[in-house]
Amino acid sequence: MCPFTQADFADACGLSVVHINRTIQELRRRGLIDWQSQTLELLQRAELELIGEFNEEYLH
């Protein structure tokens, strides 16, 4: 879990708070995350990695 605001995510990603809000709402609707009082919980990490085309190979 990460204690961040939507504005923190917007700043970190270089996106607007409106865009972040819409994205968070979509991820919540799909049951991939839960956001309660500045706490983000990843409910379906593997699915989020698939959607984000995450490849851990670049880390090594």
Side-chain angles (χ1 to χ4, degrees), residues 8-27:
D8 293 329
F9 275 102
D11 288 343
C13 297
L15 299 169
S16 72
V17 175
V18 172
H19 181 77
I20 292 295
N21 180 272
R22 288 179 181 159
T23 301
I24 287 170
Q25 295 308 316
E26 176 64 17
L27 295 174

Side-chain angles (χ1 to χ4, degrees), residues 3-54:
F4 294 114
T5 66
Q6 290 183 14
D8 293 329
F9 275 102
D11 288 343
C13 297
L15 299 169
S16 72
V17 175
V18 172
H19 181 77
I20 292 295
N21 180 272
R22 288 179 181 159
T23 301
I24 287 170
Q25 295 308 316
E26 176 64 17
L27 295 174
R28 288 173 82 182
R29 186 189 66 74
R30 293 172 68 171
L32 301 175
I33 66 167
D34 185 38
W35 187 294
Q36 298 292 324
S37 180
Q38 294 188 0
T39 302
L40 171 66
E41 184 177 2
L42 306 179
L43 301 174
Q44 303 282 335
R45 180 179 170 176
E47 182 68 17
L48 288 166
E49 289 177 1
L50 193 66
I51 290 168
E53 299 178 1
F54 177 73

